[in-house]
Amino acid sequence: MARYLSSSVVLPTTRGLVDRPHWFRGLLSGFVAVMLTLTATAPAAAAQSPSVDKGALTPTAISPAADVCPTASQTAPMQTVYLPNITKTLGGPAGWVTPFIVQNTGSAATSLEVSFYRFSDGSCVARRAVSTLAPASSFADVPNNDSDLPDNTQFSVVVKSFGSTIVSVVNEHSGSGARAEALSYNGISTGATTVSLPNIVRRFFGFHTPFIIQNLGTATTTATATFKPFSGGSSVSVVRNIAPGQSQFVEPNVEAILTDGTQYAVTVTSPQPIAVVVNTHNDDASVDKPVAYATDGIMAGADAVYGPYAPKNADDLGFVATMSTIVVQNLGSLAVAPELAFRPLGGGLPITFTGPTTATGAAWAFDLRYQNGIAGGTLCGKVASPGCLADGEYSFVASFPGSTLAAAVNVISPTSAMGYTAIAQPSPKVFLPNVTRTLGGSTGWTTPILLQSGAARAAELQWRRFSDGQLVTTQNVTFALGASIRIDPRNVTGLAENTQYAVTINGTDGTVAAIVTELNFQGGDGAMAYEGFAAP
């Protein structure tokens, strides 16, 4: 639980609309979420996933039950953020819990409203209001601490902000010790009628990727997920009918139309705007060291997308033998041959690889451990050679002139896994809602930032303490054009141990991209990542 909160913060458990004391200002936001109804029957293993609530399994989309919450504000919000999957002790006391963090990304203070909707029937379970979240400040909520939420339950949450723009990140946790798992995904503020999922698998070396689709529109929609095998062959489709605000999941392991041991590039289309979250698991009961990670579905691509971190057989601050695979999906209307350009962490000359001709909607998978990225081919050595990167840590850019690309990045060690999606638009200003230094003790959560140059050679980082929103320190960094650097909070002068921060990054002479890698050194799958948010 300490993972999300400064030790000086105690989360409220009061139901209804209340003005919080000073330390809690900004700590809650208006969330109006709507539930998840499911059309497939999940196996026992899937029921332990944060994607699946057995009580929400129904054959069709359902209308929400009557609300019991206080009346929602009738004022039009400045921004709404959707959190498709929030849980409290799902699966039991050691089951899935999903603390979430919200940051004010505007220049004025904002008031917020938070609503929790049960997956199984769409009913509003709790609604709260919070006043005065200061600019650039963050708040956190841990559902397990909220007495107004029922145990062993899954929710959709929507965040409404009435005075400023906001962003949110969700951390999903389950288990302890060697069976601890950690995932992270970004809240979604705008839906799309086409969402791309570059890497969806069914029983692929133990992994499977259930994904949750939420309808952000005003009418019932039919969402169609089209699965295109990496290896070629015919596409197949899975359909979900989803009521407004509600969600449904697709679990590849229970879809008879899909094939075991297969990777797919998936495109989800809908007449109404939708949002998608993908949870990737290798955590059956028979797995000694379970791992999992989460990413958002991709709503827009670019002709160049940025990946701040991609290791090859590297020591990721204690997670040894960490490797990565990159899956590049073609979102455009013409076939393209994407290029991957890698630079060593800290700077250096780019090393480029050109992929195969990739059809519309199809994907190219690149495994850094193998010659020319071809998994199962010639295994590379420790030093650079033709078609091989040296062991180490890299950033990358995936590109093709005039194309529309997206990329998913999988970062895996023998005991951990995390993932993120490549960044389509570097920005002069980036927000990081949740950055910590040894939160929970010396081996607790520390969250290094991987900061990549788009067009900048320097940046300023502002660190604000969660507990009171105060600016603690300002840090200036420089880096090579196009390269990434790691910023470890443990090495930043002026930061306190066991403390949580909201960070704002300003590129002083151009654009930047960033991810946050969240690391815990207390055993189990202590790794997750999320993408920084470009300024609105």
Side-chain angles (χ1 to χ4, degrees):
M1 226 52 66
R3 164 67 183 85
Y4 302 93
L5 295 177
S6 155
S7 58
S8 64
V9 176
V10 179
L11 284 179
T13 55
T14 324
R15 185 181 295 216
L17 304 176
V18 255
D19 186 42
R20 306 294 179 189
H22 173 76
W23 58 261
F24 189 73
R25 288 180 184 173
L27 266 196
L28 278 165
S29 47
F31 295 63
V32 183
V34 202
M35 29 49 31
L36 190 117
T37 56
L38 309 170
T39 61
T41 301
Q48 298 173 3
S49 156
S51 308
V52 180
D53 174 4
K54 279 186 173 180
L57 296 171
T58 64
T60 59
I62 61 173
S63 298
D67 286 353
V68 297
C69 291
T71 302
S73 173
Q74 300 304 299
T75 302
M78 179 173 289
Q79 187 169 22
T80 300
V81 171
Y82 297 85
L83 311 179
N85 189 43
I86 298 295
T87 63
K88 177 179 178 179
T89 61
L90 186 66
W96 289 99
V97 60
T98 58
F100 54 90
I101 298 98
V102 177
Q103 185 178 18
N104 179 349
T105 59
S107 58
T110 189
S111 60
L112 310 162
E113 181 185 80
V114 186
S115 303
F116 294 77
Y117 288 80
R118 200 191 318 260
F119 264 35
S120 57
D121 60 10
S123 62
C124 182
V125 175
R127 176 172 290 130
R128 316 187 190 110
V130 175
S131 61
T132 321
L133 177 60
S137 297
S138 288
F139 84 86
D141 182 271
V142 181
N144 278 13
N145 289 353
D146 295 342
S147 62
D148 54 355
L149 299 179
D151 287 324
N152 195 25
T153 304
Q154 195 164 14
F155 310 93
S156 296
V157 170
V158 178
V159 184
K160 290 183 178 177
S161 174
F162 297 98
S164 184
T165 54
I166 55 172
V167 295
S168 181
V169 64
V170 178
N171 291 332
E172 304 175 297
H173 284 277
S174 179
S176 60
R179 296 201 67 80
E181 295 178 74
L183 310 80
S184 187
Y185 72 87
N186 287 3
I188 299 157
S189 59
T190 304
T193 55
T194 299
V195 179
S196 300
L197 315 178
N199 189 40
I200 298 297
V201 301
R202 172 180 164 126
R203 296 190 179 96
F204 188 76
F205 296 97
F207 284 91
H208 65 113
T209 53
F211 56 91
I212 300 165
I213 309 168
Q214 187 175 19
N215 179 1
L216 309 190
T218 59
T220 296
T221 195
T222 298
T224 302
T226 301
F227 292 72
K228 185 181 289 288
F230 279 24
S231 57
S234 300
S235 298
V236 296
S237 296
V238 173
V239 174
R240 296 289 186 262
N241 295 313
I242 312 172
Q246 295 181 330
S247 299
Q248 292 193 17
F249 82 86
V250 175
E251 166 57 272
N253 280 9
V254 301
E255 295 295 336
I257 200 169
L258 302 179
T259 304
D260 285 350
T262 303
Q263 284 180 286
Y264 299 91
V266 174
T267 303
V268 186
T269 57
S270 165
Q272 294 288 315
I274 56 173
V276 183
V277 171
V278 179
N279 287 333
T280 300
H281 296 267
N282 183 3
D283 57 3
D284 287 347
S286 60
V287 176
D288 289 336
K289 297 176 180 177
V291 298
Y293 55 97
T295 57
D296 289 355
I298 298 170
M299 300 184 190
D303 62 358
V305 295
Y306 291 75
Y309 188 59
K312 173 184 176 260
N313 299 328
D315 182 346
D316 181 12
L317 297 181
F319 290 92
V320 298
T322 300
M323 50 75 64
S324 53
T325 59
I326 301 165
V327 180
V328 181
Q329 187 174 11
N330 178 10
L331 311 187
S333 58
L334 298 174
V336 298
E339 180 182 271
L340 281 168
F342 294 91
R343 291 179 186 267
L345 204 65
L349 295 175
I351 305 162
T352 61
F353 298 84
T354 300
T357 300
T358 305
T360 298
W364 165 43
F366 189 96
D367 188 326
L368 275 70
R369 297 171 299 174
Y370 291 90
Q371 190 175 51
N372 296 314
I374 302 171
T378 301
L379 194 64
C380 293
K382 293 183 178 182
V383 299
S385 61
C388 288
L389 295 169
D391 285 356
E393 297 175 297
Y394 299 87
S395 62
F396 73 88
V397 177
S399 65
F400 186 87
S403 67
T404 304
L405 302 176
V409 186
N410 312 305
V411 181
I412 299 172
S413 82
T415 60
S416 68
M418 58 184 174
Y420 68 94
T421 54
I423 296 161
Q425 293 295 335
S427 172
K429 189 173 187 176
V430 174
F431 291 92
L432 308 177
N434 185 47
V435 180
T436 63
R437 173 166 167 162
T438 61
L439 194 63
S442 60
T443 58
W445 290 98
T446 290
T447 59
I449 300 163
L450 278 301
L451 179 61
Q452 186 176 13
S453 164
R457 290 180 173 86
E460 177 192 78
L461 289 80
Q462 298 174 349
W463 298 75
R464 288 178 171 81
R465 191 165 45 225
F466 256 45
S467 57
D468 57 11
Q470 291 299 305
L471 178 63
V472 174
T473 191
T474 298
Q475 177 187 14
N476 292 288
V477 297
T478 59
F479 38 79
L481 187 66
S484 283
I485 59 172
R486 177 187 280 115
I487 301 166
D488 189 330
R490 294 172 296 185
N491 300 330
V492 178
T493 302
L495 301 184
E497 306 293 344
N498 195 29
T499 303
Q500 195 165 14
Y501 300 92
V503 175
T504 304
I505 303 175
N506 292 288
T508 55
D509 59 347
T511 57
V512 296
I515 65 168
V516 176
T517 58
E518 304 175 286
L519 306 177
N520 179 295
F521 306 96
Q522 297 174 345
D525 177 20
M528 51 188 173
Y530 70 88
E531 305 87 3
F533 295 85

